[in-house]
Amino acid sequence: MDEGYRNNSNLYQGARDIAREVKKQTSSHTMDDYSKYQDKTYGDYSSNDAYYHSGGHTNQDEDAQSDATEGHDDDDEIYEGEYQGIPHPDDIRLQHKDTSLKNEFKEQADLIAERKEDEEQLAYQYENIIQECGHGRFQWTLFFVLGLALMADGVEVFVVGFVLPSAEKDMCLSRSNKGMLGLLVYLGMMLGAFVWGGLADKLGRKKCLLISLFINAAFSFISSFVQGYGLFLFCRLISGFGIGGSLPIVFAYFSEFLAREKRGEHLSWLCMFWMIGALYASAMAWSIIPHYGWGFSMGTHYHFHSWRVFVVICVLPCIASIIALKFMPESPRFLLEIGKHDEAWMILKRIHDTNMRAKGEPEKVFTVSQIKTPKQLDEFIEIQSATGTWIQRLFVRLMTTVKQVWENMLQCFTGQFQKNTIMLAVVWFTISLSYYGLTVWFPDTIRYIQDEDYESRAKVFMDENVRNFIFNFTLENQIHKDGHYFNDKFYGMKLKYVTFEDSYFEDCYFEDVTSVGTVFKNCTINSTIFYNTDLYKHKFIDCNFINSTFYEPKMGCHIDFEADNDFLIYLVSFLGSLSVLPGNIISALLMDKIGRIKMIAGSMLISAVCCFFLFFGNSESAMIGWQCLFCGTSIAAWNALDVITVELYPTNKRATAFGILNGFCKLAAIFGNSIFASFVGITKVVPILLASAALVGGGLISLRLPETRELVLM
């Protein structure tokens, strides 16, 4: 009896051990299968860890509750069917949960694969639809509307350079302040390219372009009226931030209305508007700024001079673009990407009907009835109007959009886009460094040559002895050494680049004197009165004052603007912009024939060769000629870069990638302006070699990019 009982107990104990081991191995096997399946099939997608772990905790809670109610441990109880190999109900629930989890990830992977397939089908179908719509009145209308936006970008680049000679005197800007103004404009454009490019892929091309242009127009207009340098600097920064979005959005926008065989040529024609903007700014500056009297004053503290009128005139292309853009539709390719089929179809039908009517075929019917729309993967957060305050709802929407834009930017540097993005960034950076650096270096070098020539013609007066004389006329470009001035009067006169060196003034009187480039070096000034002059202390270098007094010095800057603002700076920019025209025409005609890559590499290498001829530019005319040659040969690379950038990226990343690359372009402009300007009057070697090396390096790297002229827009 005891022996049988012991055998029976051993039998039950063995069955229980075997069942426990089977249960452990079954659970382990199930999790191993899930992990392997997840790693092999969905390695690129993150699993829903929170959901999985919450399921595990639920089972533990149920077991704990069962133990508490029954009063014993689960290990002490044997499930009846366990030793017969029948699964426990908890194991069945766990397996069902694992299966549903696998199905969830499988459905997500299938959805992604299905979306990719849909995008490929949509790309080819959309290409056929655009070809059916034809190329006609609608595209040309949009061409001029977007051209105005691109023109506004060209104006913004040049406007600061044109107003600086006048603004620096109107606001008494130092050399460091002038440099800060130019750099902040490019900084604003760089930030604008990043932000607006990313938003255009989430909110739409037309909406973001309208907002960015409005910001530019508003703050540019306000900047023409502000008097303080700080406010002026802030307004130009924000206006640059606004216009920074025009370039990436315009090219992404227009490319989505063009068929493959028209895309390269017409995007290149669109680039001409940037040159037109530069010509417009040059012509307006030449016509307006030298007329210093074209303005008004309100009291002694508010002045609206001619350069401010010029700033207002430069806003007109941007305003015209905003008005015209209101009548243009959103990109149908973008609308299809976000699943708005009916809106996209209506726009495509409008394009078709507009072009057919213009061609005299109004009876031709738009045959497309259904367009493929990709599966939507984004998780939209719908916030009810009763949920939280409007600020909280706005904050949630804002943070969701920021997160989506940021993730989209990061994806441009990963996966299949990584290699192309990095190489394009290098090419954009190198061509921008050389181009923007040299466009600053050319006029500064020409002005330096002018100054050297001007100083070489200075008249030198030695050992003057002037007594009881009244000076009431202008002295210009003179050097007075070892002079003696006794009881002389200086009334209502101008001193332009006059130097008094080692001279002696006694019992003299200065009243209502204005000066520019005038200094007193190592002079002795005895019993002399300065009344209502701009001869400030910094204009006296190592001078000795004896019983001399300054009364009521002039406030602000008092320079003869009209005489100081000669036409050379406008002429140089005008000719440099005009020289781009032949290169623009050639690149547009050959873009689809020889391809984007050959155009980029060839143009950059030819431009590098042109840089070496700058060693022979020792006169104003020679420098202007080499500048025109450089600008004319480099424009083809710019046009091809714009085209290949929009073609290498799909619709949901096109404006984002273009914005990132254009941001690198403006960053290079900041470096180029700072580096090249610092070598003016010191050496030519560094700027020329740096520009040539950058162009050669960028041109060679561009050869590794894929050719895109035969590709449809994804």
Side-chain angles (χ1 to χ4, degrees):
M1 180 73 178
D2 295 339
E3 185 68 17
Y5 176 77
R6 282 194 298 271
N7 291 338
N8 191 33
S9 299
N10 292 338
L11 177 62
Y12 274 92
Q13 182 65 34
R16 186 167 62 177
D17 294 338
I18 293 172
R20 188 181 295 113
E21 185 66 22
V22 170
K23 180 179 179 181
K24 183 188 298 184
Q25 292 181 1
T26 301
S27 177
S28 176
H29 181 68
T30 301
M31 293 306 298
D32 289 342
D33 287 345
Y34 168 70
S35 300
K36 292 177 182 178
Y37 188 81
Q38 184 187 21
D39 293 339
K40 292 181 180 179
T41 310
Y42 309 107
D44 296 334
Y45 308 100
S46 60
S47 62
N48 194 345
D49 293 334
Y51 174 78
Y52 171 74
H53 287 303
S54 66
H57 289 308
T58 301
N59 290 337
Q60 292 175 5
D61 292 339
E62 290 175 359
D63 293 340
Q65 185 178 6
S66 176
D67 292 346
T69 55
E70 297 183 11
H72 59 279
D73 192 0
D74 184 58
D75 289 342
D76 296 333
E77 182 182 5
I78 302 175
Y79 169 59
E80 295 182 341
E82 212 165 10
Y83 69 93
Q84 298 176 359
I86 301 175
H88 194 280
D90 291 343
D91 296 335
I92 295 176
R93 286 197 298 270
L94 181 60
Q95 290 178 3
H96 286 170
K97 196 165 292 186
D98 292 340
T99 303
S100 63
L101 199 58
K102 292 178 183 179
N103 291 336
E104 181 181 343
F105 282 102
K106 185 177 181 180
E107 289 173 2
Q108 180 72 4
D110 291 341
L111 191 62
I112 293 173
E114 188 176 350
R115 178 178 173 85
K116 289 183 179 179
E117 184 178 353
D118 290 346
E119 287 176 342
E120 292 179 1
Q121 293 178 10
L122 173 60
Y124 288 97
Q125 185 185 10
Y126 189 80
E127 177 67 27
N128 294 330
I129 294 172
I130 289 295
Q131 290 181 359
E132 180 179 344
C133 293
H135 189 92
R137 176 178 293 175
F138 181 89
Q139 279 86 355
W140 284 112
T141 303
L142 184 63
F143 172 80
F144 286 105
V145 172
L146 296 180
L148 289 172
L150 202 59
M151 183 177 170
D153 183 88
V155 170
E156 186 72 21
V157 170
F158 286 89
V159 67
V160 170
F162 290 147
V163 303
L164 265 180
S166 298
E168 67 175 312
K169 301 174 180 65
D170 207 6
M171 298 181 178
C172 298
L173 302 184
S174 63
R175 183 180 296 272
S176 60
N177 286 339
K178 289 190 296 181
M180 180 64 69
L181 179 58
L183 294 181
L184 273 184
V185 171
Y186 283 118
L187 178 62
M189 297 177 77
M190 180 184 73
L191 296 176
F194 283 124
V195 173
W196 296 115
L199 288 175
D201 282 333
K202 292 298 177 184
L203 305 180
R205 280 75 163 109
K206 177 184 173 180
K207 181 188 297 184
C208 290
L209 184 57
L210 277 172
I211 297 173
S212 65
L213 290 174
F214 178 80
I215 292 174
N216 172 253
F219 281 89
S220 293
F221 184 78
I222 294 172
S223 71
S224 66
F225 291 93
V226 299
Q227 295 292 300
Y229 173 69
L231 279 177
F232 182 78
L233 200 67
F234 174 76
C235 289
R236 297 314 303 185
L237 172 66
I238 303 302
S239 68
F241 173 78
I243 202 63
S246 64
L247 199 66
I249 300 177
V250 160
F251 281 98
Y253 191 11
F254 191 52
S255 67
E256 292 165 0
F257 289 89
L258 299 173
R260 177 173 53 190
E261 65 271 11
K262 299 283 187 180
R263 196 164 56 234
E265 177 185 352
H266 287 270
L267 286 176
S268 299
W269 290 126
L270 186 64
C271 295
M272 292 182 63
F273 279 93
W274 198 91
M275 174 206 71
I276 295 173
L279 291 174
Y280 174 82
S282 303
M284 292 299 101
W286 197 344
S287 304
I288 296 173
I289 295 180
H291 300 282
Y292 188 63
W294 289 13
F296 60 89
S297 298
M298 296 175 62
T300 59
H301 298 288
Y302 189 88
H303 303 280
F304 193 89
H305 295 141
S306 57
W307 69 268
R308 298 181 182 273
V309 178
F310 164 71
V311 173
V312 173
I313 296 299
C314 285
V315 183
L316 296 181
C318 188
I319 296 175
S321 179
I322 293 172
I323 296 172
L325 195 60
K326 293 289 290 183
F327 300 96
M328 293 292 105
E330 180 57 85
S331 165
R333 185 65 178 85
F334 168 78
L335 293 175
L336 290 170
E337 191 72 19
I338 62 176
K340 295 186 177 181
H341 173 276
D342 294 342
E343 293 182 38
W345 186 89
M346 292 296 294
I347 293 171
L348 290 169
K349 185 178 185 302
R350 172 184 169 184
I351 298 171
H352 174 273
D353 294 346
T354 301
N355 291 338
M356 292 306 110
R357 284 195 299 269
K359 293 178 181 179
E361 302 176 6
E363 72 283 352
K364 198 166 184 179
V365 179
F366 186 51
T367 61
V368 178
S369 59
Q370 186 66 29
I371 309 174
K372 191 75 173 179
T373 53
K375 296 293 182 182
Q376 301 302 305
L377 299 179
D378 288 340
E379 295 181 1
F380 296 99
I381 301 176
E382 184 64 27
I383 306 176
Q384 300 298 326
S385 59
T387 304
T389 64
W390 69 270
I391 297 179
Q392 292 172 329
R393 295 193 296 272
L394 178 63
F395 179 76
V396 171
R397 292 190 180 98
L398 178 63
M399 294 308 298
T400 301
T401 303
V402 170
K403 181 182 178 182
Q404 291 175 341
V405 170
W406 177 249
E407 290 176 350
N408 210 28
M409 287 183 176
L410 294 180
Q411 289 172 11
C412 292
F413 290 93
T414 58
Q416 59 178 324
F417 307 110
Q418 183 180 34
K419 181 180 177 182
N420 291 338
T421 302
I422 292 175
M423 288 193 295
L424 277 174
V426 173
V427 177
W428 274 91
F429 190 90
T430 53
I431 191 173
S432 302
L433 180 71
S434 58
Y435 180 83
Y436 285 104
L438 287 177
T439 52
V440 170
W441 185 75
F442 277 123
D444 285 354
T445 301
I446 292 173
R447 186 169 291 280
Y448 176 77
I449 294 173
Q450 276 188 319
D451 292 342
E452 280 193 324
D453 179 66
Y454 182 79
E455 292 176 1
S456 66
R457 292 184 280 107
K459 296 180 180 179
V460 180
F461 298 88
M462 300 288 295
D463 297 322
E464 287 182 305
N465 193 343
V466 183
R467 294 175 176 269
N468 304 315
F469 186 80
I470 298 176
F471 293 87
N472 56 2
F473 46 85
T474 298
L475 299 180
E476 182 178 359
N477 198 22
Q478 297 178 3
I479 300 175
H480 299 263
K481 292 185 176 182
D482 297 318
H484 293 76
Y485 305 90
F486 297 93
N487 199 29
D488 295 320
K489 313 295 181 184
F490 297 82
Y491 282 115
M493 63 178 302
K494 293 183 174 67
L495 300 174
K496 296 185 177 180
Y497 300 98
V498 177
T499 300
F500 293 96
E501 189 173 346
D502 298 322
S503 298
Y504 183 81
F505 296 84
E506 184 174 355
D507 293 326
C508 294
Y509 183 77
F510 292 80
E511 181 178 347
D512 193 22
V513 176
T514 57
S515 62
V516 58
T518 297
V519 293
F520 295 77
K521 294 182 178 179
N522 198 30
C523 296
T524 300
I525 301 172
N526 185 19
S527 301
T528 297
I529 295 175
F530 297 87
Y531 177 78
N532 191 28
T533 72
D534 67 350
L535 297 175
Y536 308 123
K537 292 294 182 68
H538 69 270
K539 295 185 178 182
F540 296 90
I541 303 174
D542 297 328
C543 293
N544 183 27
F545 290 92
I546 304 173
N547 296 326
S548 297
T549 309
F550 291 83
Y551 291 105
E552 299 184 13
K554 288 181 179 293
M555 303 301 295
C557 301
H558 304 270
I559 307 298
D560 189 340
F561 288 84
E562 186 171 353
D564 193 60
N565 279 315
D566 60 299
F567 72 94
L568 184 64
I569 185 174
Y570 314 126
L571 178 63
V572 170
S573 298
F574 184 85
L575 293 177
S577 302
L578 192 62
S579 65
V580 169
L581 181 61
N584 248 318
I585 296 174
I586 294 173
S587 65
L589 296 176
L590 299 180
M591 187 68 68
D592 291 318
K593 292 181 173 61
I594 69 174
R596 289 71 161 129
I597 303 304
K598 292 180 181 178
M599 187 74 71
I600 296 173
S603 175
M604 293 183 73
L605 293 176
I606 294 174
S607 301
V609 174
C610 293
C611 285
F612 283 101
F613 289 100
L614 295 175
F615 282 113
F616 306 101
N618 296 319
S619 64
E620 296 176 26
S621 57
M623 293 300 296
I624 294 174
W626 292 124
Q627 179 192 11
C628 293
L629 182 62
F630 172 77
C631 293
T633 54
S634 63
I635 190 60
W638 282 108
N639 293 356
L641 263 180
D642 293 333
V643 175
I644 197 174
T645 300
V646 300
E647 293 177 334
L648 274 177
Y649 295 90
T651 302
N652 62 346
K653 292 180 177 59
R654 184 167 296 122
T656 298
F658 206 119
I660 292 172
L661 296 170
N662 194 246
F664 278 107
C665 166
K666 296 304 185 287
L667 179 63
I670 294 173
F671 283 116
N673 287 355
S674 303
I675 295 172
F676 283 68
S678 62
F679 288 98
V680 174
I682 299 176
T683 179
K684 289 183 179 180
V685 176
V686 175
I688 294 174
L689 291 182
L690 180 59
S692 301
L695 289 168
V696 171
L700 294 177
I701 291 175
S702 68
L703 294 173
R704 303 295 302 274
L705 290 168
E707 182 57 66
T708 58
R709 59 176 167 170
E710 298 298 331
L711 299 179
V712 297
L713 285 180
M714 294 299 295

